[in-house]
Amino acid sequence: MCGIAGWVSFDPDVPVTADVAQAMTATMICRGPDAEGVWTTPTVALGHRRLSVVDLVGGSQPMFFEHDGEVVIGLSYSGEVFNYRELRQDLLGRGHTFRTASDTEVVLHAYLEWGEDFTEHLNGQYAFALWDARTEELLLVRDRLGIKPLYYQPLPGGLLFGSEPKAILAHPRVRPAIDAEGFAELLGFTKTPGHALYKGMYELRPGHTLRIGRGGITVRRYWALESYEHTDDLDTTIAQVRSLLEDIVDRQLVADVPVGTLLSGGLDSSIITALAARRGPIKSFALDFARHADNFRADDWRGTPDAPFAELLARHVGSDHHVVSLHSQSLLDTTAREAVMRARDLPFDLGDGDTSLYLLFQEVRKHCTVALSGESADEVFGGYRWFNHPETVAAATFPWLAPPFGTGIAGPGSGPGESLINRGLLTKIDLKGYRSQRYQEALTEVPRLAGESASDRRMREIGYLHLTRFLPWMLDRKDRASMAASLEVRVPFCDHRLVQYVFNTPWAMKSFDGREKSLLRAATRDLLPAEISDRIKAPYPITKDPLYLDGLRSALKRATDGPAAPVRELLDEEALAAATADDPAPGYRTGTELILALDFWLRTYDVDLEL
């Protein structure tokens, strides 16, 4: 999937230097362990770390188009363009010639042919930087759904960019700092588009380009969700969803390295695995926890464990199935936890939800370089239970923050991430007001459809909020965990054609049989055993092992031991006492995970807190 980094400077007093460009690029080694390339002039640096997936020999980067021995266009590219074979044929017909079989070179020539409008022709998950020597301009491009990350930080007379914040933080002119707004964004679970939390740093928004030249910076949107009348009947809609899924999975299986699937035993990953298996033998990978059967208790979130369903689907389609079983000691291991936190560059509160994902990806990487995931089907097709909860749908906030579900992503008793944060600090940053402001901003973006009923309009809003504010958070999580293990994860349900089509499908069709994801079930029922096709949505698993919870509490005690602990000033002392007691009060698990992440972040990144 690769990692990119770079720097452009039009200030003659601050020329680009190779040593700094090299240092920035070196931070991306996990994203690209196979090769490195750094190209510099006094004005621009393009850095690249390569994870070889397509054209293993010819796809080295940065890649250039030259004329008379001079660089015309330079490209540092991360991701995959899944329609590159069709684009290549089109460009050959237009007179272009190719030296390699890589999708990178296709992107390069697409820009030469269509200019900045080449984004209209790309289908994939990508983030890249393109230097046009003819105009002395740098163009940054991010895919439509924001599957691949891309950050930037303007400087006087220039700009820094990278696949992750750490590439930008490696520049000597950047000091990591977070202000009150950044801290509210961290705690808010609002995933504001463009907000990178670090002061002065930004994410390029999904479906946007950024161009910087001597005249300054121009940001342009090239794609966004649109509202239009859905004219297909139910049977046609079901058939179209199936047709799109088959085409998408076929495209995303293309690679010159081993490809597998992530199989939880839920509906979404089972569909992807079943479709992949129709093309030939496929490896599938499932996560389980040691002693999980002993500790599992059905609750409102999860009625059944995953492992038996994953094994059922694997037998059904004949996949070469691997179960990765994790012990609590592995989840508490300092090395693994710190690797995840370094990958994220920011403190988040999923704890073992992140660590288990990283450890799973490490095992998958021993067998495959690419894995297909069922991520995003819930956001696209309305799979979370709050889609069908009237009070949540009507609440004047983001659905995942509204009662009765709140921020319980980790399940019952997990509590909100801010549960251990000092109450005075929460008042100072106005977390409640911040969430409300971001919610109102998001609503103003929703594309309207004339003549739509109030209920249909509200469900369109709910869908939009998930696709633009919830899904990006999930994609970031999966990207960082997979890239930390040098594994490329592809997300077929994020194909923009499918997303746009289903976004405009009326809610009555999406839930026509009274269940979540009715449309997706109907389109794929013939692929799956009935037990899986009819299975109720369950969230990503977390361990229920008491050994893990005891270890978590002990780690919190160590991190907050003494008034000099850097995280101590952020804490509510009464809540801390309750969370670290020998018989701890319930509801502090997520808050504990956040405090441990904050502690590591403050100690390791030497962040200035401007709160």
Side-chain angles (χ1 to χ4, degrees):
M1 189 60 74
C2 307
I4 66 173
W7 176 17
V8 60
S9 177
F10 298 109
D11 184 347
D13 295 327
V14 188
V16 169
T17 58
D19 58 335
V20 172
Q22 176 70 41
M24 294 173 65
T25 304
T27 65
M28 296 290 97
I29 190 169
C30 286
R31 300 186 75 92
D34 297 330
E36 180 183 73
V38 179
W39 175 76
T40 63
T41 75
T43 304
V44 65
L46 297 178
H48 189 265
R49 290 291 322 191
R50 188 180 186 207
L51 179 64
S52 301
V53 172
V54 174
D55 191 359
L56 308 187
V57 175
S60 298
Q61 295 185 49
M63 187 174 286
F64 304 98
F65 178 82
E66 298 181 352
H67 180 69
D68 291 337
E70 298 290 331
V71 169
V72 178
I73 308 293
L75 175 65
S76 186
Y77 166 70
S78 168
E80 308 289 342
V81 168
F82 300 124
N83 65 331
Y84 79 97
R85 291 175 169 176
E86 298 97 309
L87 282 176
R88 180 188 176 96
Q89 288 303 118
D90 187 350
L91 290 164
L92 284 169
R94 296 170 183 267
H96 293 258
T97 58
F98 293 87
R99 298 177 290 105
T100 75
S102 69
D103 58 331
T104 305
E105 191 177 13
V106 171
V107 171
L108 192 62
H109 282 263
Y111 177 77
L112 286 166
E113 178 65 29
W114 293 297
E116 196 169 333
D117 289 340
F118 77 139
T119 54
E120 305 294 334
H121 299 264
L122 306 181
N123 177 304
Q125 50 187 69
Y126 48 79
F128 52 83
L130 189 151
W131 173 253
D132 192 330
R134 299 168 300 186
T135 59
E136 290 197 307
E137 291 179 311
L138 180 77
L139 180 70
L140 302 181
V141 181
R142 193 172 182 205
D143 67 65
R144 292 170 177 84
L145 272 296
I147 304 167
K148 302 316 298 177
L150 185 54
Y151 294 82
Y152 68 95
Q153 181 154 338
L155 296 176
L159 176 140
L160 307 171
F161 68 88
S163 293
E164 297 177 9
K166 58 175 61 68
I168 295 171
L169 295 175
H171 194 282
R173 297 183 69 185
V174 176
R175 173 74 186 164
I178 189 168
D179 58 16
E181 181 180 301
F183 201 65
E185 179 70 19
L186 172 67
L187 298 178
F189 203 176
T190 56
K191 195 58 175 118
T192 305
H195 206 307
L197 278 77
Y198 285 108
K199 190 175 179 180
M201 191 183 299
Y202 304 90
E203 255 192 306
L204 185 60
R205 293 185 64 157
H208 281 66
T209 64
L210 179 151
R211 184 178 289 273
I212 178 171
R214 295 186 183 277
I217 294 174
T218 302
V219 177
R220 181 181 72 90
R221 188 183 74 185
Y222 71 87
W223 185 85
L225 287 166
E226 297 178 351
S227 291
Y228 54 75
E229 184 179 0
H230 185 81
T231 57
D232 292 343
D233 62 20
L234 180 59
D235 288 343
T236 303
T237 301
I238 292 170
Q240 177 66 1
V241 168
R242 175 59 172 269
S243 176
L244 282 168
L245 284 172
E246 290 179 352
D247 177 69
I248 292 163
V249 172
D250 284 352
R251 290 176 185 271
Q252 297 199 17
L253 287 170
V254 174
D256 295 331
V257 292
V259 179
T261 66
L262 306 175
L263 176 59
S264 70
L267 178 69
D268 314 331
S269 63
S270 296
I271 290 169
I272 298 302
T273 302
L275 286 170
R278 288 159 62 98
R279 287 286 304 271
I282 192 77
K283 294 180 185 292
S284 57
F285 299 86
L287 170 69
D288 199 8
F289 297 110
R291 300 181 359 123
H292 189 58
D294 298 335
N295 295 301
F296 180 83
R297 299 291 183 273
D299 55 39
D300 290 340
W301 286 78
R302 183 178 295 277
T304 52
D306 285 337
F309 293 92
E311 292 168 2
L312 172 63
L313 192 281
R315 291 194 302 271
H316 183 73
V317 302
S319 67
D320 179 8
H321 190 55
H322 303 254
V323 179
V324 179
S325 183
L326 300 178
H327 292 266
S328 291
Q329 293 90 331
S330 300
L331 297 171
L332 290 166
D333 178 69
T334 302
T335 302
R337 290 176 68 88
E338 290 185 356
V340 172
M341 289 186 279
R342 284 193 178 92
R344 295 294 289 261
D345 281 327
L346 288 160
F348 291 99
D349 55 20
L350 269 189
D352 72 297
D354 275 349
T355 308
S356 64
L357 197 62
Y358 166 69
L359 293 172
L360 168 65
F361 290 157
Q362 277 195 319
E363 290 301 312
V364 174
R365 184 62 175 89
K366 295 176 182 178
H367 305 270
C368 299
T369 307
V370 174
L372 272 62
S373 166
E375 193 79 83
S376 81
D378 290 310
E379 290 81 7
V380 174
F381 288 93
Y384 297 111
R385 63 179 60 187
W386 47 72
F387 276 88
N388 292 288
H389 193 279
E391 291 179 16
T392 305
V393 168
T397 188
F398 295 103
W400 51 90
L401 298 179
F405 304 101
T407 53
I409 302 301
S414 61
E418 66 268 23
S419 60
L420 291 172
I421 299 295
N422 181 279
R423 297 297 175 263
L425 178 56
L426 292 177
T427 300
K428 182 179 179 181
I429 66 174
D430 189 15
L431 183 59
K432 182 178 180 181
Y434 184 81
R435 285 170 168 158
S436 177
Q437 176 190 352
R438 294 310 193 194
Y439 171 71
Q440 294 299 329
E441 289 173 356
L443 288 186
T444 64
E445 298 176 6
V446 181
R448 303 301 177 185
L449 183 63
E452 200 167 39
S453 69
S455 59
D456 283 344
R457 182 171 64 252
R458 181 55 179 166
M459 293 314 297
R460 184 180 296 278
E461 291 174 347
I462 297 292
Y464 186 89
L465 293 174
H466 280 82
L467 291 169
T468 63
R469 300 310 197 271
F470 193 88
L471 177 59
W473 184 83
M474 301 296 285
L475 292 174
D476 279 355
R477 170 179 176 254
K478 185 148 287 183
D479 172 84
R480 300 306 190 282
S482 61
M483 287 285 90
S486 303
L487 176 73
E488 174 178 310
V489 171
R490 297 175 177 177
V491 279
F493 287 111
C494 275
D495 186 288
H496 71 278
R497 299 168 298 161
L498 178 69
V499 172
Q500 182 67 76
Y501 184 77
V502 178
F503 176 68
N504 282 293
T505 302
W507 181 249
M509 281 192 182
K510 293 178 187 175
S511 57
F512 71 87
D513 63 359
R515 295 204 54 191
E516 79 282 0
K517 293 189 286 196
S518 308
L519 193 57
L520 183 59
R521 293 178 196 275
T524 57
R525 185 171 291 278
D526 63 300
L527 295 171
L528 310 174
E531 298 93 325
I532 293 175
S533 187
D534 292 328
R535 192 181 178 205
I536 295 173
K537 161 71 182 173
Y540 181 85
I542 60 170
T543 183
K544 300 295 182 68
D545 191 343
L547 293 176
Y548 178 79
L549 300 178
D550 289 343
L552 203 62
R553 188 169 69 256
S554 296
L556 179 61
K557 288 180 179 179
R558 292 192 299 271
T560 59
D561 185 24
V567 77
R568 195 76 187 229
E569 64 179 295
L570 302 177
L571 299 181
D572 180 89
E573 292 295 333
E574 184 177 335
L576 177 63
T580 54
D582 292 337
D583 184 20
Y588 288 110
R589 175 172 180 162
T590 305
T592 297
E593 299 280 20
L594 174 64
I595 296 306
L596 293 176
L598 274 167
D599 176 68
F600 173 82
W601 181 61
L602 291 172
R603 292 177 188 270
T604 307
Y605 283 70
D606 191 23
V607 183
D608 292 333
L609 293 178
E610 301 176 2
L611 307 180

